[in-house]
Short mmCIF file of all heavy atoms in Angstrom, two decimals:
data_model
loop_
_atom_site.label_atom_id
_atom_site.label_comp_id
_atom_site.label_asym_id
_atom_site.label_seq_id
_atom_site.Cartn_x
_atom_site.Cartn_y
_atom_site.Cartn_z
N PHE A 34 -2.93 4.73 1.56
CA PHE A 34 -3.07 4.59 3.00
C PHE A 34 -3.93 5.68 3.54
O PHE A 34 -4.84 5.51 4.28
CB PHE A 34 -1.78 4.46 3.64
CG PHE A 34 -1.85 4.51 5.13
CD1 PHE A 34 -2.26 3.42 5.89
CD2 PHE A 34 -1.56 5.68 5.76
CE1 PHE A 34 -2.37 3.48 7.27
CE2 PHE A 34 -1.64 5.75 7.24
CZ PHE A 34 -2.08 4.68 7.87
N PRO A 48 -7.30 1.23 9.15
CA PRO A 48 -6.72 0.27 8.15
C PRO A 48 -6.60 -1.20 8.70
O PRO A 48 -6.26 -1.31 9.90
CB PRO A 48 -5.38 0.76 7.75
CG PRO A 48 -5.00 1.68 8.90
CD PRO A 48 -6.24 2.13 9.52
N PHE A 50 -4.57 -3.65 8.50
CA PHE A 50 -3.33 -4.20 8.98
C PHE A 50 -3.03 -3.85 10.45
O PHE A 50 -2.14 -4.49 11.07
CB PHE A 50 -2.14 -3.90 8.07
CG PHE A 50 -1.85 -2.45 8.04
CD1 PHE A 50 -1.17 -1.78 9.07
CD2 PHE A 50 -2.38 -1.62 7.04
CE1 PHE A 50 -0.82 -0.47 9.06
CE2 PHE A 50 -2.16 -0.26 7.00
CZ PHE A 50 -1.47 0.32 7.98
N LEU A 51 -3.73 -2.86 10.97
CA LEU A 51 -3.35 -2.42 12.35
C LEU A 51 -3.91 -3.34 13.39
O LEU A 51 -3.45 -3.29 14.59
CB LEU A 51 -3.73 -0.97 12.51
CG LEU A 51 -2.92 0.05 11.83
CD1 LEU A 51 -3.53 1.44 12.12
CD2 LEU A 51 -1.53 -0.08 12.20
N ASN A 194 7.10 -5.03 19.15
CA ASN A 194 6.20 -4.54 17.99
C ASN A 194 4.88 -4.14 18.59
O ASN A 194 4.14 -3.45 17.81
CB ASN A 194 6.16 -5.68 16.97
CG ASN A 194 7.46 -5.97 16.41
OD1 ASN A 194 8.24 -5.09 16.04
ND2 ASN A 194 7.83 -7.24 16.45
N LYS A 196 2.19 -3.31 22.14
CA LYS A 196 2.26 -2.86 23.54
C LYS A 196 0.83 -2.75 24.04
O LYS A 196 -0.14 -2.74 23.20
CB LYS A 196 2.91 -1.51 23.66
CG LYS A 196 2.18 -0.37 22.82
CD LYS A 196 3.03 0.86 22.84
CE LYS A 196 2.40 1.98 22.03
NZ LYS A 196 2.01 1.55 20.66
N ALA A 222 2.37 13.30 11.87
CA ALA A 222 3.20 12.04 11.95
C ALA A 222 2.98 11.25 10.60
O ALA A 222 4.04 10.82 10.05
CB ALA A 222 2.65 11.14 13.09
N GLY A 223 1.80 11.27 10.02
CA GLY A 223 1.66 10.63 8.71
C GLY A 223 2.44 11.29 7.64
O GLY A 223 3.04 10.69 6.78
N MET A 226 6.23 10.16 7.30
CA MET A 226 6.68 8.81 7.03
C MET A 226 7.89 8.78 6.09
O MET A 226 8.00 9.60 5.26
CB MET A 226 5.45 8.12 6.37
CG MET A 226 4.31 7.83 7.28
SD MET A 226 2.98 6.76 6.67
CE MET A 226 2.42 7.80 5.30
N ASN A 231 6.83 2.52 4.03
CA ASN A 231 7.30 2.38 5.43
C ASN A 231 6.54 3.24 6.23
O ASN A 231 6.69 4.49 6.34
CB ASN A 231 8.74 2.65 5.53
CG ASN A 231 9.25 2.33 6.97
OD1 ASN A 231 8.54 1.79 7.73
ND2 ASN A 231 10.49 2.65 7.20
N LEU A 232 5.48 2.66 6.94
CA LEU A 232 4.55 3.55 7.83
C LEU A 232 5.27 4.01 9.08
O LEU A 232 5.96 3.13 9.73
CB LEU A 232 3.29 2.71 8.10
CG LEU A 232 2.47 2.33 6.98
CD1 LEU A 232 1.38 1.33 7.42
CD2 LEU A 232 1.81 3.55 6.35
N GLY A 233 5.20 5.25 9.45
CA GLY A 233 5.82 5.74 10.62
C GLY A 233 5.28 5.11 11.92
O GLY A 233 4.06 4.93 12.07
N TYR A 234 6.18 4.79 12.83
CA TYR A 234 5.78 4.14 14.10
C TYR A 234 4.78 5.09 14.88
O TYR A 234 3.77 4.64 15.37
CB TYR A 234 6.93 3.82 14.94
CG TYR A 234 6.68 3.34 16.29
CD1 TYR A 234 6.29 2.10 16.55
CD2 TYR A 234 6.73 4.15 17.42
CE1 TYR A 234 5.94 1.56 17.81
CE2 TYR A 234 6.44 3.78 18.72
CZ TYR A 234 6.08 2.34 18.92
OH TYR A 234 5.74 1.92 20.11
N LEU A 235 5.05 6.33 14.95
CA LEU A 235 4.20 7.30 15.56
C LEU A 235 2.77 7.31 14.98
O LEU A 235 1.77 7.36 15.75
CB LEU A 235 4.82 8.62 15.59
CG LEU A 235 3.95 9.80 16.32
CD1 LEU A 235 3.65 9.36 17.78
CD2 LEU A 235 4.63 11.09 16.18
N TYR A 236 2.76 7.37 13.65
CA TYR A 236 1.51 7.43 13.01
C TYR A 236 0.63 6.09 13.31
O TYR A 236 -0.51 6.23 13.70
CB TYR A 236 1.69 7.42 11.45
CG TYR A 236 0.51 7.92 10.65
CD1 TYR A 236 -0.56 8.62 11.21
CD2 TYR A 236 0.44 7.73 9.31
CE1 TYR A 236 -1.64 9.03 10.49
CE2 TYR A 236 -0.60 8.13 8.49
CZ TYR A 236 -1.59 8.78 9.07
OH TYR A 236 -2.66 9.30 8.34
N LYS A 237 1.23 4.98 13.27
CA LYS A 237 0.56 3.66 13.64
C LYS A 237 0.09 3.74 15.00
O LYS A 237 -1.03 3.31 15.42
CB LYS A 237 1.43 2.52 13.37
CG LYS A 237 1.74 2.22 11.88
CD LYS A 237 2.24 0.79 11.65
CE LYS A 237 3.55 0.64 12.29
NZ LYS A 237 4.14 -0.72 11.96
N THR A 238 0.93 4.23 15.99
CA THR A 238 0.52 4.22 17.36
C THR A 238 -0.68 5.07 17.62
O THR A 238 -1.54 4.74 18.40
CB THR A 238 1.74 4.78 18.17
OG1 THR A 238 2.91 3.89 18.03
CG2 THR A 238 1.43 4.91 19.63
N MET A 239 -0.63 6.35 16.96
CA MET A 239 -1.81 7.22 17.15
C MET A 239 -3.15 6.72 16.56
O MET A 239 -4.16 6.78 17.14
CB MET A 239 -1.39 8.61 16.63
CG MET A 239 -0.27 9.26 17.28
SD MET A 239 -0.04 10.98 16.84
CE MET A 239 -1.29 11.76 17.82
N ILE A 240 -2.98 6.00 15.36
CA ILE A 240 -4.12 5.42 14.87
C ILE A 240 -4.67 4.37 15.67
O ILE A 240 -5.90 4.21 16.05
CB ILE A 240 -3.79 4.82 13.45
CG1 ILE A 240 -3.40 5.97 12.42
CG2 ILE A 240 -5.01 4.04 12.88
CD1 ILE A 240 -4.64 6.80 11.92
N GLU A 241 -3.75 3.48 16.25
CA GLU A 241 -4.14 2.41 17.07
C GLU A 241 -4.87 2.95 18.34
O GLU A 241 -5.78 2.34 18.84
CB GLU A 241 -2.98 1.49 17.39
CG GLU A 241 -2.57 0.63 16.28
CD GLU A 241 -1.32 -0.28 16.55
OE1 GLU A 241 -0.39 0.26 17.23
OE2 GLU A 241 -1.36 -1.42 16.21
N THR A 242 -4.19 3.92 18.91
CA THR A 242 -4.74 4.57 20.09
C THR A 242 -6.18 5.07 19.92
O THR A 242 -7.01 4.84 20.76
CB THR A 242 -3.88 5.69 20.64
OG1 THR A 242 -2.60 5.18 20.90
CG2 THR A 242 -4.39 6.32 21.93
N GLY A 243 -6.39 5.74 18.75
CA GLY A 243 -7.64 6.27 18.53
C GLY A 243 -8.73 5.18 18.35
O GLY A 243 -9.75 5.34 18.86
N SER A 244 -8.35 4.15 17.58
CA SER A 244 -9.32 3.04 17.35
C SER A 244 -9.61 2.25 18.60
O SER A 244 -10.71 2.00 18.98
CB SER A 244 -8.80 2.11 16.34
OG SER A 244 -7.71 1.44 16.75
#
Side-chain angles (χ1 to χ4, degrees):
F34 171 75
F50 62 82
L51 288 179
N194 302 308
K196 61 187 180 305
M226 291 187 295
N231 187 4
L232 297 169
Y234 175 78
L235 177 59
Y236 199 17
K237 290 197 294 183
T238 298
M239 297 189 78
I240 293 289
E241 287 179 318
T242 300
S244 67

